[in-house]
mmCIF file of all heavy atoms in Angstrom:
data_model
loop_
_atom_site.group_PDB
_atom_site.id
_atom_site.type_symbol
_atom_site.label_atom_id
_atom_site.label_comp_id
_atom_site.label_asym_id
_atom_site.label_seq_id
_atom_site.Cartn_x
_atom_site.Cartn_y
_atom_site.Cartn_z
ATOM 1 N N GLU B 143 4.011 -49.176 -22.731
ATOM 2 C CA GLU B 143 3.179 -49.329 -23.919
ATOM 3 C C GLU B 143 3.415 -48.185 -24.895
ATOM 4 O O GLU B 143 3.617 -48.337 -26.062
ATOM 5 C CB GLU B 143 1.729 -49.473 -23.542
ATOM 6 C CG GLU B 143 1.464 -50.786 -22.791
ATOM 7 C CD GLU B 143 0.076 -50.908 -22.224
ATOM 8 O OE1 GLU B 143 -0.698 -49.967 -22.183
ATOM 9 O OE2 GLU B 143 -0.226 -52.009 -21.667
ATOM 10 N N ARG B 150 12.041 -29.511 -27.788
ATOM 11 C CA ARG B 150 12.018 -28.330 -28.660
ATOM 12 C C ARG B 150 13.039 -27.266 -28.178
ATOM 13 O O ARG B 150 13.016 -26.946 -26.975
ATOM 14 C CB ARG B 150 10.617 -27.698 -28.661
ATOM 15 C CG ARG B 150 9.564 -28.630 -29.269
ATOM 16 C CD ARG B 150 8.162 -28.328 -28.906
ATOM 17 N NE ARG B 150 7.193 -29.361 -29.341
ATOM 18 C CZ ARG B 150 5.989 -29.492 -28.868
ATOM 19 N NH1 ARG B 150 5.514 -28.625 -28.007
ATOM 20 N NH2 ARG B 150 5.253 -30.460 -29.302
ATOM 21 N N THR B 213 7.927 -41.852 -35.338
ATOM 22 C CA THR B 213 7.232 -42.979 -34.679
ATOM 23 C C THR B 213 8.147 -44.190 -34.685
ATOM 24 O O THR B 213 8.593 -44.613 -35.817
ATOM 25 C CB THR B 213 5.891 -43.299 -35.316
ATOM 26 O OG1 THR B 213 5.105 -42.133 -35.449
ATOM 27 C CG2 THR B 213 5.165 -44.377 -34.564
ATOM 28 N N ARG B 229 12.269 -24.360 -32.511
ATOM 29 C CA ARG B 229 11.819 -23.132 -31.864
ATOM 30 C C ARG B 229 10.733 -23.332 -30.913
ATOM 31 O O ARG B 229 9.729 -24.011 -31.186
ATOM 32 C CB ARG B 229 11.354 -22.133 -32.962
ATOM 33 C CG ARG B 229 10.786 -20.820 -32.350
ATOM 34 C CD ARG B 229 10.030 -20.085 -33.420
ATOM 35 N NE ARG B 229 9.025 -20.911 -34.009
ATOM 36 C CZ ARG B 229 8.494 -20.741 -35.237
ATOM 37 N NH1 ARG B 229 8.900 -19.704 -35.965
ATOM 38 N NH2 ARG B 229 7.580 -21.568 -35.723
ATOM 39 N N SER B 231 8.884 -20.557 -28.148
ATOM 40 C CA SER B 231 8.918 -19.232 -27.596
ATOM 41 C C SER B 231 9.020 -19.245 -26.027
ATOM 42 O O SER B 231 9.479 -18.303 -25.450
ATOM 43 C CB SER B 231 7.678 -18.479 -28.004
ATOM 44 O OG SER B 231 6.480 -19.115 -27.498
ATOM 45 N N TYR B 232 8.638 -20.361 -25.448
ATOM 46 C CA TYR B 232 8.535 -20.444 -23.973
ATOM 47 C C TYR B 232 9.676 -21.113 -23.364
ATOM 48 O O TYR B 232 9.578 -21.529 -22.135
ATOM 49 C CB TYR B 232 7.218 -21.172 -23.665
ATOM 50 C CG TYR B 232 6.984 -22.435 -24.447
ATOM 51 C CD1 TYR B 232 7.479 -23.726 -24.017
ATOM 52 C CD2 TYR B 232 6.412 -22.372 -25.720
ATOM 53 C CE1 TYR B 232 7.285 -24.803 -24.788
ATOM 54 C CE2 TYR B 232 6.234 -23.488 -26.470
ATOM 55 C CZ TYR B 232 6.687 -24.701 -26.033
ATOM 56 O OH TYR B 232 6.555 -25.838 -26.771
ATOM 57 N N ARG B 237 10.182 -32.688 -22.434
ATOM 58 C CA ARG B 237 9.268 -33.476 -21.602
ATOM 59 C C ARG B 237 9.209 -34.926 -22.080
ATOM 60 O O ARG B 237 9.380 -35.197 -23.218
ATOM 61 C CB ARG B 237 7.873 -32.891 -21.758
ATOM 62 C CG ARG B 237 7.661 -31.596 -21.041
ATOM 63 C CD ARG B 237 6.344 -31.002 -21.384
ATOM 64 N NE ARG B 237 6.355 -30.470 -22.786
ATOM 65 C CZ ARG B 237 5.273 -30.372 -23.548
ATOM 66 N NH1 ARG B 237 4.101 -30.858 -23.139
ATOM 67 N NH2 ARG B 237 5.394 -29.890 -24.748
ATOM 68 N N GLU B 239 6.978 -38.727 -21.364
ATOM 69 C CA GLU B 239 5.825 -39.345 -20.771
ATOM 70 C C GLU B 239 5.773 -40.809 -21.157
ATOM 71 O O GLU B 239 6.013 -41.161 -22.337
ATOM 72 C CB GLU B 239 4.565 -38.644 -21.275
ATOM 73 C CG GLU B 239 3.251 -39.303 -20.888
ATOM 74 C CD GLU B 239 2.015 -38.539 -21.425
ATOM 75 O OE1 GLU B 239 2.031 -37.307 -21.433
ATOM 76 O OE2 GLU B 239 1.108 -39.236 -21.830
ATOM 77 N N HIS B 241 3.403 -44.263 -20.836
ATOM 78 C CA HIS B 241 2.099 -44.864 -20.491
ATOM 79 C C HIS B 241 2.371 -46.403 -20.385
ATOM 80 O O HIS B 241 2.867 -47.012 -21.335
ATOM 81 C CB HIS B 241 1.054 -44.595 -21.568
ATOM 82 C CG HIS B 241 -0.247 -45.208 -21.371
ATOM 83 N ND1 HIS B 241 -1.209 -44.545 -20.607
ATOM 84 C CD2 HIS B 241 -0.805 -46.378 -21.738
ATOM 85 C CE1 HIS B 241 -2.298 -45.320 -20.573
ATOM 86 N NE2 HIS B 241 -2.060 -46.419 -21.233
ATOM 87 N N LYS B 244 0.026 -50.277 -15.903
ATOM 88 C CA LYS B 244 -0.582 -49.934 -14.592
ATOM 89 C C LYS B 244 -0.676 -48.429 -14.293
ATOM 90 O O LYS B 244 -1.160 -48.031 -13.268
ATOM 91 C CB LYS B 244 0.295 -50.543 -13.492
ATOM 92 C CG LYS B 244 0.309 -52.071 -13.518
ATOM 93 C CD LYS B 244 1.023 -52.522 -12.184
ATOM 94 C CE LYS B 244 1.635 -53.878 -12.334
ATOM 95 N NZ LYS B 244 2.630 -54.095 -11.327
ATOM 96 N N ARG B 248 5.335 -39.155 -15.953
ATOM 97 C CA ARG B 248 5.702 -38.065 -16.889
ATOM 98 C C ARG B 248 6.595 -37.091 -16.134
ATOM 99 O O ARG B 248 6.449 -36.806 -14.964
ATOM 100 C CB ARG B 248 4.555 -37.335 -17.516
ATOM 101 C CG ARG B 248 3.532 -36.794 -16.594
ATOM 102 C CD ARG B 248 2.439 -36.050 -17.407
ATOM 103 N NE ARG B 248 1.322 -35.719 -16.586
ATOM 104 C CZ ARG B 248 0.236 -34.991 -16.902
ATOM 105 N NH1 ARG B 248 0.170 -34.589 -18.188
ATOM 106 N NH2 ARG B 248 -0.666 -34.718 -16.069
ATOM 107 N N GLU B 250 7.763 -33.241 -16.340
ATOM 108 C CA GLU B 250 7.367 -31.929 -16.944
ATOM 109 C C GLU B 250 8.642 -31.057 -17.099
ATOM 110 O O GLU B 250 9.724 -31.372 -16.587
ATOM 111 C CB GLU B 250 6.372 -31.217 -16.010
ATOM 112 C CG GLU B 250 4.972 -31.231 -16.513
ATOM 113 C CD GLU B 250 4.802 -30.465 -17.827
ATOM 114 O OE1 GLU B 250 5.492 -29.405 -18.067
ATOM 115 O OE2 GLU B 250 3.962 -30.866 -18.664
ATOM 116 N N GLU C 143 1.886 -25.789 -35.967
ATOM 117 C CA GLU C 143 2.982 -26.639 -36.477
ATOM 118 C C GLU C 143 2.875 -28.115 -36.061
ATOM 119 O O GLU C 143 2.976 -28.994 -36.911
ATOM 120 C CB GLU C 143 4.339 -26.052 -36.073
ATOM 121 C CG GLU C 143 4.565 -24.678 -36.698
ATOM 122 C CD GLU C 143 5.781 -23.909 -36.162
ATOM 123 O OE1 GLU C 143 6.409 -24.319 -35.215
ATOM 124 O OE2 GLU C 143 6.066 -22.864 -36.775
ATOM 125 N N ARG C 150 -7.235 -41.801 -24.094
ATOM 126 C CA ARG C 150 -7.133 -43.159 -23.513
ATOM 127 C C ARG C 150 -8.400 -43.406 -22.671
ATOM 128 O O ARG C 150 -8.687 -42.603 -21.749
ATOM 129 C CB ARG C 150 -5.858 -43.242 -22.688
ATOM 130 C CG ARG C 150 -4.629 -43.098 -23.516
ATOM 131 C CD ARG C 150 -3.408 -42.802 -22.679
ATOM 132 N NE ARG C 150 -2.259 -42.442 -23.552
ATOM 133 C CZ ARG C 150 -1.138 -41.812 -23.190
ATOM 134 N NH1 ARG C 150 -1.005 -41.483 -21.913
ATOM 135 N NH2 ARG C 150 -0.169 -41.575 -24.027
ATOM 136 N N THR C 213 0.148 -40.788 -37.176
ATOM 137 C CA THR C 213 0.780 -39.548 -37.562
ATOM 138 C C THR C 213 0.080 -39.054 -38.817
ATOM 139 O O THR C 213 -0.053 -39.749 -39.787
ATOM 140 C CB THR C 213 2.291 -39.746 -37.855
ATOM 141 O OG1 THR C 213 2.924 -40.370 -36.763
ATOM 142 C CG2 THR C 213 2.965 -38.446 -38.199
ATOM 143 N N ILE C 224 -1.250 -38.689 -32.749
ATOM 144 C CA ILE C 224 -2.319 -39.112 -31.871
ATOM 145 C C ILE C 224 -1.903 -40.408 -31.208
ATOM 146 O O ILE C 224 -1.316 -41.264 -31.875
ATOM 147 C CB ILE C 224 -3.582 -39.382 -32.700
ATOM 148 C CG1 ILE C 224 -4.037 -38.158 -33.414
ATOM 149 C CG2 ILE C 224 -4.726 -39.969 -31.835
ATOM 150 C CD1 ILE C 224 -5.180 -38.384 -34.508
ATOM 151 N N ARG C 229 -6.996 -48.458 -22.228
ATOM 152 C CA ARG C 229 -6.911 -48.610 -20.784
ATOM 153 C C ARG C 229 -5.996 -47.480 -20.159
ATOM 154 O O ARG C 229 -4.912 -47.253 -20.645
ATOM 155 C CB ARG C 229 -6.287 -49.925 -20.364
ATOM 156 C CG ARG C 229 -6.057 -50.078 -18.886
ATOM 157 C CD ARG C 229 -5.146 -51.224 -18.586
ATOM 158 N NE ARG C 229 -3.967 -51.183 -19.364
ATOM 159 C CZ ARG C 229 -3.159 -52.241 -19.683
ATOM 160 N NH1 ARG C 229 -3.538 -53.446 -19.312
ATOM 161 N NH2 ARG C 229 -2.123 -52.062 -20.430
ATOM 162 N N SER C 231 -5.260 -46.440 -16.123
ATOM 163 C CA SER C 231 -5.657 -46.720 -14.667
ATOM 164 C C SER C 231 -6.086 -45.486 -13.963
ATOM 165 O O SER C 231 -6.784 -45.533 -12.980
ATOM 166 C CB SER C 231 -4.431 -47.315 -13.956
ATOM 167 O OG SER C 231 -3.377 -46.390 -13.924
ATOM 168 N N ARG C 237 -6.336 -35.321 -23.567
ATOM 169 C CA ARG C 237 -5.518 -34.121 -23.587
ATOM 170 C C ARG C 237 -5.158 -33.713 -24.961
ATOM 171 O O ARG C 237 -4.961 -34.586 -25.865
ATOM 172 C CB ARG C 237 -4.179 -34.397 -22.865
ATOM 173 C CG ARG C 237 -4.344 -34.475 -21.351
ATOM 174 C CD ARG C 237 -3.021 -34.882 -20.685
ATOM 175 N NE ARG C 237 -2.790 -36.299 -20.956
ATOM 176 C CZ ARG C 237 -1.570 -36.868 -21.084
ATOM 177 N NH1 ARG C 237 -0.544 -36.107 -20.953
ATOM 178 N NH2 ARG C 237 -1.462 -38.157 -21.314
ATOM 179 N N GLU C 239 -2.696 -30.724 -27.321
ATOM 180 C CA GLU C 239 -1.513 -29.739 -27.220
ATOM 181 C C GLU C 239 -1.268 -29.283 -28.595
ATOM 182 O O GLU C 239 -1.184 -30.112 -29.568
ATOM 183 C CB GLU C 239 -0.351 -30.439 -26.591
ATOM 184 C CG GLU C 239 0.873 -29.606 -26.646
ATOM 185 C CD GLU C 239 2.062 -30.268 -25.966
ATOM 186 O OE1 GLU C 239 1.886 -30.961 -24.931
ATOM 187 O OE2 GLU C 239 3.195 -30.129 -26.523
ATOM 188 N N HIS C 241 1.388 -26.870 -30.750
ATOM 189 C CA HIS C 241 2.584 -26.071 -30.807
ATOM 190 C C HIS C 241 2.550 -25.188 -32.056
ATOM 191 O O HIS C 241 2.364 -25.705 -33.123
ATOM 192 C CB HIS C 241 3.821 -26.969 -30.856
ATOM 193 C CG HIS C 241 5.133 -26.283 -30.906
ATOM 194 N ND1 HIS C 241 5.782 -25.858 -29.800
ATOM 195 C CD2 HIS C 241 5.887 -25.922 -31.939
ATOM 196 C CE1 HIS C 241 6.938 -25.259 -30.099
ATOM 197 N NE2 HIS C 241 7.011 -25.314 -31.443
ATOM 198 N N LYS C 244 4.266 -19.078 -32.466
ATOM 199 C CA LYS C 244 4.431 -18.103 -31.406
ATOM 200 C C LYS C 244 4.288 -18.650 -30.023
ATOM 201 O O LYS C 244 4.477 -17.906 -29.022
ATOM 202 C CB LYS C 244 3.418 -16.956 -31.571
ATOM 203 C CG LYS C 244 3.619 -16.119 -32.801
ATOM 204 C CD LYS C 244 2.696 -14.922 -32.710
ATOM 205 C CE LYS C 244 2.313 -14.340 -34.046
ATOM 206 N NZ LYS C 244 1.116 -13.542 -33.993
ATOM 207 N N ARG C 248 -2.271 -25.866 -24.511
ATOM 208 C CA ARG C 248 -2.628 -27.201 -24.189
ATOM 209 C C ARG C 248 -3.764 -27.248 -23.190
ATOM 210 O O ARG C 248 -3.938 -26.391 -22.355
ATOM 211 C CB ARG C 248 -1.421 -27.987 -23.643
ATOM 212 C CG ARG C 248 -0.714 -27.409 -22.475
ATOM 213 C CD ARG C 248 0.426 -28.335 -21.992
ATOM 214 N NE ARG C 248 1.241 -27.669 -20.986
ATOM 215 C CZ ARG C 248 2.270 -28.266 -20.332
ATOM 216 N NH1 ARG C 248 2.577 -29.491 -20.678
ATOM 217 N NH2 ARG C 248 2.931 -27.612 -19.449
ATOM 218 N N GLU C 250 -5.317 -29.653 -20.369
ATOM 219 C CA GLU C 250 -5.009 -30.797 -19.511
ATOM 220 C C GLU C 250 -6.316 -31.569 -19.145
ATOM 221 O O GLU C 250 -7.387 -31.134 -19.366
ATOM 222 C CB GLU C 250 -4.356 -30.304 -18.218
ATOM 223 C CG GLU C 250 -2.852 -30.532 -18.133
ATOM 224 C CD GLU C 250 -2.469 -32.030 -18.121
ATOM 225 O OE1 GLU C 250 -3.239 -32.816 -17.562
ATOM 226 O OE2 GLU C 250 -1.445 -32.333 -18.666
#
Side-chain angles (χ1 to χ4, degrees):
Chain B
E143 293 172 352
R150 296 162 188 164
T213 305
R229 176 193 51 205
S231 62
Y232 45 92
R237 288 172 288 150
E239 171 178 323
H241 179 87
K244 295 190 205 159
R248 55 177 170 177
E250 255 295 327
Chain C
E143 294 172 352
R150 296 162 188 165
T213 305
I224 301 170
R229 176 194 51 205
S231 62
R237 288 172 288 151
E239 171 178 325
H241 179 86
K244 295 190 206 159
R248 56 178 171 176
E250 255 296 326

